[in-house]
Amino acid sequence: MDFNLTDDQKAFAESARAFAEGVFAPEAARWDAEHIFPKEALKAAGELGFMGLYTPEAAGGLGLGRLDTSVIVEELARGCTSTAAFLTIHNMATSMIGTYGSPELVEEWCPSLVSGEKLASYCLTEPGHGSDAGNLRSTARAEGDNYVVNGSKMFISGGGDTDVLVVMLRTGEPGPRGISAFAIPADAPGISYGKAEEKMGWNSQPTRAVTFENVIVPAGNRLGDEGQGFKIAMQGLDGGRINIATCSVGTAQAALETAVAYVKDRQQFGQAIADFQHTQFKLADMTTELVAARQMVRLAAFKLDSKDPDATSYCAMAKRFATDVCFNICNDALQLHGGYGYIREYPLERHVRDTRVHQILEGTNEIMRVIVGRRLLMDGALEVIK
């Protein structure tokens, strides 16, 4: 058991850190304040392979594992949480096309997606159903060589500003076995978009509802077999939970570094506030929780790479723990700044706003508890905590 990063992983991290510091970090505050979707920055990320991290090599991606990907995403999130989070969503959708699409579909979309020339959105969430992939109501009805798609999706990251939508739709019987996945051009006739949502955070990526009204989709745009969509969605959610947790870890690392620099410089009562024991205790707790979160996320990523039967539980635990404690780390870093933490001259208030949504996405943390709790009640469940 070796917890050290490999030489390749260290190189990945250094490359991602240099990119985040040079491209994401200098503009993150402006993107947030002006609600700018930084397509050029994402295209630049594609030039380094960051837009196709775990898309198969045969489809033009890097074909990395989830642990390697987590190392990279953590560094990107240090630069801009919101943009890094969209990048992970794009990666998930692109990987689904590259893995489950026909050779023709892969050739049509993957080269431009992995390069960042074009962008992808993932459409699972529906009004009233959240991320309950087994109970979707939006439909794709087979009609000759096509499907006719009707329904609506909500909270779609990049919606209205991306080029292709990976959509989960009901093609058959009620329940999980009736779900299929499709890649649909975002400008297909019959697709309309709602207003850009005014959000607390994640302001460098637009979020809209998407409506499908008699949208004609060729059968060749289906990903995998009919009825395979639920399996594809669940695999996406396992990886997505690691992605979101990793974004929290990267942001918490940035917040901690900012706080450490500030308390060394800030003077109160004739001395730096770093000299107060209370400050040192707080920083020690923040660091301990950050390291624990990082290790749990990387363990879950390792389990997923290893196809461990308990990987879903580990992904759920990592997502629940990391997003909770890393939000608290960002909040504590803000508190250490006093009133300065509350103003936009410093990045802390943005870190707090951006990480708050991570506790909700890819299934709320209450759902994560349900997943793990149910697993613990099954026979042999103690294996999950060994």
Side-chain angles (χ1 to χ4, degrees):
M1 185 179 294
D2 186 354
F3 291 96
N4 294 310
L5 297 181
T6 66
D7 288 342
D8 282 347
Q9 289 167 340
K10 291 176 182 177
F12 291 150
E14 290 172 4
S15 176
R17 184 181 306 120
F19 177 81
E21 290 176 350
V23 179
F24 281 6
E27 298 292 340
R30 185 173 68 89
W31 295 340
D32 173 70
E34 299 178 18
H35 293 213
I36 293 172
F37 188 32
K39 291 185 178 182
E40 289 303 313
L42 292 167
K43 183 179 177 181
E47 294 173 0
L48 295 176
F50 296 156
M51 300 300 278
L53 290 168
Y54 47 93
T55 296
E57 290 183 87
L62 295 183
L64 298 179
R66 302 316 295 257
L67 179 55
D68 292 344
T69 296
S70 180
V71 169
I72 292 169
V73 170
E74 178 181 335
E75 295 297 337
L76 296 177
R78 288 177 63 206
C80 180
T81 313
S82 172
T83 306
F86 175 81
L87 180 146
T88 69
I89 295 166
H90 168 93
N91 266 274
M92 177 170 61
T94 300
S95 175
M96 289 177 177
I97 296 173
T99 302
Y100 296 102
S102 67
E104 295 77 17
L105 196 66
V106 170
E107 184 178 355
E108 178 183 0
W109 284 107
C110 284
S112 56
L113 291 173
V114 300
S115 70
E117 292 281 347
K118 293 185 178 179
L119 301 174
S121 290
Y122 180 58
C123 304
L124 173 64
T125 303
E126 294 187 355
H129 289 279
S131 298
D132 184 2
N135 287 305
L136 302 180
R137 291 184 179 178
S138 296
T139 61
R141 185 184 75 256
E143 194 172 280
D145 293 332
N146 300 307
Y147 287 87
V148 181
V149 175
N150 285 281
S152 60
K153 301 289 183 176
M154 66 185 303
F155 300 143
I156 304 306
S157 292
D161 284 278
T162 52
D163 302 285
V164 64
L165 310 175
V166 173
V167 191
M168 298 297 162
L169 298 163
R170 183 165 301 285
T171 54
E173 62 186 89
R177 287 183 290 186
I179 305 299
S180 301
F182 295 85
I184 305 176
D187 60 355
I191 297 179
S192 59
Y193 297 92
K195 66 177 179 64
E197 301 290 351
E198 292 289 333
K199 307 188 299 288
M200 175 180 174
W202 271 25
N203 289 323
S204 73
Q205 50 168 294
T207 302
R208 293 184 175 92
V210 185
T211 300
F212 302 87
E213 295 184 21
N214 295 319
V215 179
I216 305 300
V217 179
N221 284 43
R222 192 183 65 231
L223 303 178
D225 296 328
E226 193 166 287
Q228 195 178 359
F230 182 79
K231 177 182 177 182
I232 295 172
M234 290 303 97
Q235 291 173 341
L237 284 175
D238 280 345
R241 285 164 185 159
I242 292 174
N243 288 342
I244 290 299
T246 301
C247 286
S248 288
V249 170
T251 310
Q253 178 70 49
L256 178 61
E257 291 171 358
T258 302
V260 169
Y262 178 80
V263 299
K264 287 180 177 179
D265 183 65
R266 174 66 167 160
Q267 297 282 322
Q268 281 286 68
F269 306 105
Q271 64 184 107
I273 60 174
D275 294 335
F276 293 113
Q277 192 176 61
H278 172 79
T279 303
Q280 295 168 10
F281 283 178
K282 176 59 69 176
L283 291 172
D285 287 344
M286 293 162 67
T287 303
T288 300
E289 290 174 346
L290 176 58
V291 171
R294 177 180 292 118
Q295 295 306 104
M296 181 169 275
V297 170
R298 290 182 178 177
L299 175 60
F302 169 79
K303 293 284 187 182
L304 199 56
D305 284 340
S306 304
K307 296 180 171 55
D308 189 287
D310 287 322
T312 293
S313 293
Y314 276 91
C315 291
M317 288 189 290
K319 191 269 181 182
R320 202 291 300 165
F321 182 76
T323 58
D324 278 350
V325 303
C326 290
F327 171 78
N328 291 337
I329 291 167
C330 293
N331 197 38
D332 286 340
L334 185 155
Q335 189 71 22
L336 285 170
H337 281 69
Y340 290 109
Y342 199 67
I343 61 176
R344 291 190 174 182
E345 181 180 347
Y346 292 83
L348 285 310
E349 57 84 29
R350 172 163 45 86
H351 293 334
V352 169
R353 288 187 288 107
D354 282 344
T355 54
R356 181 62 181 88
V357 74
H358 298 175
Q359 297 169 293
I360 301 169
L361 293 174
E362 307 295 353
T364 66
N365 282 356
E366 286 69 31
I367 293 175
M368 298 305 100
R369 293 181 176 95
V370 170
I371 292 171
V372 177
R374 285 179 177 173
R375 179 68 182 87
L376 286 169
L377 294 173
M378 294 169 62
D379 292 338
L382 289 181
E383 292 298 321
V384 79
I385 59 172
K386 288 185 178 178

